[in-house]
Amino acid sequence: MSGRYEIPTRDAPPIARPVHKYSVKIRPVEFLKMGLRIVGDSRSLGEFRALAGSRPCIYGVYDRPLGGLQADESRCRGCLRCMVEHPEVATIGLNPAYLLLGDSYWTPEHVLTVWYEAATGRVPVRGAGYNGPFKGPGFDAIWTDMSEIVRPTRDGIHGREHISTVVDVGRKPSRLGFAGGRPTPARGRWFEIPLPIVLDALALADGKVLAAMTAAAARTGTLCILRSEEPLPAGVEPSAVVPRLSTEEVDDLPRGVRMVEVDDHEGLDLARLRERLPSGIVVSVRVAASPRAEQRAVALALAGADVIHLAADGHGREIGGARHLADLIRAVHGRLLEAGIRDEITLLAQGGIAQAEHVPKAILCGADLVAISTAAAIALQGEILAGRAPGGRLRVAVPAFPVDWGVQRLVNLLGSWRDQLLEVLGAMGMREARRLRGDVGRAIFADEVEAEVFGELFGPAPPGTASRAVL
C-alpha cells in the first residue's frame, strides 16, 4: 500500500450513563470554605465555581460542580491530592459500580480503558500510573523488548520515520518463478490490509451493530466477518466483508468480496469449495483452539486453506484444554514452520484480545493479525452478561445507539489501538508490523524466566500449569 495511512478519529462521547472508576464525596460546607479561602474574598457562588475549582485538583474534578457542589467524577484520576491537601473536604474511593464491570477475565480496568479509547481515539493515560501486578496470566506474562525507546525518531506517533502496520492476508507464493530470464507474475491468493486487526460480528446479531462494524471496517480499510445468514448492510463496500458460509452458499457471494470463511469440520473438502468459488477468492478456515489445533492447522494448510483462523473462547482459552491463546499461537506457528509452509499462509488469532498491547504480543507469538469481537461490543458500551454463548463466546448486551455514533466509536478504538501498536514497534526499533511476526527473541516470557531462574530451588511446575509463584 502506498501513502501514509491514517485513521480519522474524533470524539464520540458515551450515550448511556458511563461508570467512573472513582467515587468522589465532598463535604459541601467545608468545600465552600476551602474555595473561599483559595479565592481570597467573599465572592458569589457562581464566581466561586469558575475561579476556585482548579486549585484543589489539577485534573479539574472541581472545575465544573454538577448539581450544586457535586464533583465531576469523570475527571478523577485517583491521584489523591485533594485528600492529602484538604482531608476535611474530600474522600476518594473506588466506585462500587466500577467493580461490577466485566467478568473474571475482562477486568473493570479493561472495560474502562476500551470505553476511553472508543470515546476519544487517543492513547489512555492515567494520572496515578500503573499500580497493578508485574505479571499476570496469558498476554500479561509477556514483556516486550523496548530497547530502542530512547530513539525519538522511531517514535511511532510523533517520530519522523514511517512505521507500517500493513499485513498480508491469504496464500502467498513460496518461491519466485522465472521464464526466459525474467520473473513470472507471482501466483497466489492474497491482498493487503493496512491494519493487523479485523472485526468479528458473529456473536452480535443486532442490525445496527452489524451496520456499525461493517462500516467501521470499510472506513479503516480492514475486514469484518459476518454470518452467512446476515444480509449485507446497505451501502457497505463488499471488499470489507468476509462472509462465513457453508459450501452450499458459495453461489450467493456478493460481487467484490475478497475473502470467505468456513468452519472446520469432518469432511471439509477445500478442493471442491475452491472449484465453486470465483478465481482469486481467499479462503479462511476457522479452527477451534483445542489440543489438536496444531495438527489440524497444518493439515488444512496443506489441503489448500489460505488463512487459518485460530479461535479461542472469550477469555483466550482453548476449548477442552488449559492453554492460553498466546501459547496456542506459538504452537501453531511452530508446527507450520516445521512443515515448511509458514510463509505461505496467514494465521489469524482470536479470543481474549482485551487490550491494545495484546495485538503486538499476539503477532510476536506468531500470528499475522488478530480478530476482535468482545472489545468491539464493549466499545459500543456493551455489558458482559453471565453465561456463555455456543463455542465459548461471551454474551454482550449492547444498548440502542445511532449507527453513525457506533461507527465512530469503533473507528476510534481501531485508531487508538493502532497508535499503541506504533508506539510498541517504535520502541522495539521496528518499522513494519510484518517484521514482528514470530520474533520471540524480542520478548521475555515470564514463566520461562521463572522456571530457568528458580527451577532449581522450587522444582519444575506441574505439567499443564503455570510456573510456581515466587514470593
Side-chain angles (χ1 to χ4, degrees):
M1 289 186 174
S2 61
R4 197 173 184 91
Y5 172 68
E6 295 182 358
I7 295 179
T9 62
R10 68 173 187 269
D11 287 349
I15 57 172
R17 182 179 177 85
V19 175
H20 306 302
K21 182 173 183 179
Y22 297 104
S23 174
V24 182
K25 299 185 183 303
I26 62 175
R27 299 166 185 84
V29 174
E30 297 298 330
F31 183 38
L32 187 59
K33 290 179 181 178
M34 176 188 69
L36 291 175
R37 287 201 302 269
I38 291 174
V39 173
D41 55 30
S42 299
R43 305 194 181 199
S44 68
L45 182 59
E47 290 175 307
F48 160 71
R49 291 176 177 173
L51 299 176
S54 61
R55 299 290 181 85
C57 179
I58 62 174
Y59 299 106
V61 172
Y62 309 106
D63 280 3
R64 296 181 298 172
L66 308 174
L69 295 177
Q70 181 181 350
D72 187 352
E73 296 178 336
S74 66
R75 298 187 176 193
C76 183
R77 297 295 179 265
C79 69
L80 305 183
R81 176 186 171 186
C82 59
M83 283 186 62
V84 172
E85 296 186 0
H86 306 283
E88 75 282 4
V89 173
T91 302
I92 310 295
L94 286 176
N95 184 353
Y98 162 80
L99 299 175
L100 298 177
L101 294 176
D103 61 12
S104 60
Y105 180 87
W106 290 79
T107 66
E109 191 65 23
H110 287 161
V111 175
L112 212 64
T113 299
V114 170
W115 280 353
Y116 176 85
E117 293 164 337
T120 66
R122 294 189 289 271
V123 175
V125 177
R126 295 287 184 262
Y130 177 73
N131 61 354
F134 190 56
K135 170 204 150 182
F139 290 117
D140 293 335
I142 303 174
W143 307 319
T144 54
D145 172 14
M146 299 292 186
S147 59
E148 296 289 333
I149 200 169
V150 296
R151 293 188 57 187
T153 59
R154 295 260 180 156
D155 187 327
I157 299 178
H158 309 290
R160 296 185 295 271
E161 296 186 11
H162 174 63
I163 298 177
S164 172
T165 54
V166 172
V167 292
D168 305 318
V169 180
R171 180 176 289 268
K172 299 174 289 294
S174 59
R175 62 185 64 85
L176 290 175
F178 290 87
R182 298 185 177 221
T184 58
R187 293 185 176 180
R189 297 177 297 271
W190 61 282
F191 56 89
E192 293 179 339
I193 59 174
L195 187 66
I197 308 171
V198 303
L199 303 175
D200 186 356
L202 298 185
L204 304 167
D206 180 82
K208 287 188 175 181
V209 173
L210 299 180
M213 294 185 78
T214 52
R219 188 175 299 181
T220 55
T222 187
L223 305 169
C224 181
I225 304 172
L226 293 177
R227 286 197 299 255
S228 58
E229 61 267 24
E230 297 294 345
L232 192 64
V236 170
E237 175 61 42
S239 62
V241 174
V242 179
R244 184 183 181 189
L245 42 77
S246 67
T247 54
E248 289 75 18
E249 297 157 341
V250 169
D251 297 332
D252 299 327
L253 282 182
R255 184 183 298 274
V257 166
R258 296 183 289 178
M259 180 169 122
V260 298
E261 182 165 283
V262 294
D263 289 332
D264 179 32
H265 62 271
E266 288 295 329
L268 177 61
D269 190 342
L270 289 175
R272 181 173 179 272
L273 174 61
R274 180 72 62 194
E275 292 174 356
R276 302 186 61 188
L277 285 171
S279 176
I281 293 286
V282 172
V283 175
S284 170
V285 181
R286 182 180 291 243
V287 179
S290 69
R292 296 182 59 251
E294 305 97 294
Q295 298 91 326
R296 192 57 185 158
V298 173
L300 290 168
L302 294 173
D306 304 319
V307 177
I308 301 297
H309 184 167
L310 182 64
D313 69 12
H315 288 178
R317 292 290 176 182
E318 68 180 342
I319 300 169
R323 290 181 297 179
H324 187 269
L325 180 65
D327 301 314
L328 287 159
I329 295 172
R330 294 183 69 185
V332 172
H333 174 74
R335 286 295 184 91
L336 292 171
L337 282 173
E338 292 173 2
I341 56 175
R342 179 64 189 93
D343 288 334
E344 298 181 34
I345 69 163
T346 299
L347 179 58
L348 170 63
Q350 177 177 357
I353 307 292
Q355 298 285 266
E357 68 187 58
H358 296 171
V359 177
K361 289 179 179 180
I363 296 174
L364 189 149
C365 287
D368 291 283
L369 67 164
V370 304
I372 61 172
S373 179
T374 304
I378 291 175
L380 300 174
Q381 288 195 269
E383 177 186 355
I384 296 179
L385 304 177
R388 298 288 189 91
R393 296 192 306 270
L394 299 181
R395 296 168 57 242
V396 184
V398 178
F401 62 87
V403 173
D404 290 344
W405 175 88
V407 174
Q408 191 60 55
R409 294 275 291 194
L410 294 172
V411 168
N412 286 349
L413 179 69
L414 294 175
S416 174
W417 282 26
R418 180 177 182 267
D419 281 349
Q420 292 175 77
L421 173 60
L422 290 174
E423 294 277 12
V424 172
L425 292 173
M428 297 180 74
M430 291 187 172
R431 297 185 63 182
E432 61 173 335
R434 286 177 288 205
R435 290 282 304 275
L436 183 61
R437 189 198 73 186
D439 194 354
V440 293
R442 301 296 300 274
I444 300 173
F445 296 88
D447 292 338
E448 296 177 3
V449 172
E450 288 183 1
E452 178 182 351
V453 175
F454 299 104
E456 295 183 3
L457 295 176
F458 299 100
T465 65
S467 60
R468 297 180 186 275
V470 179
L471 303 178

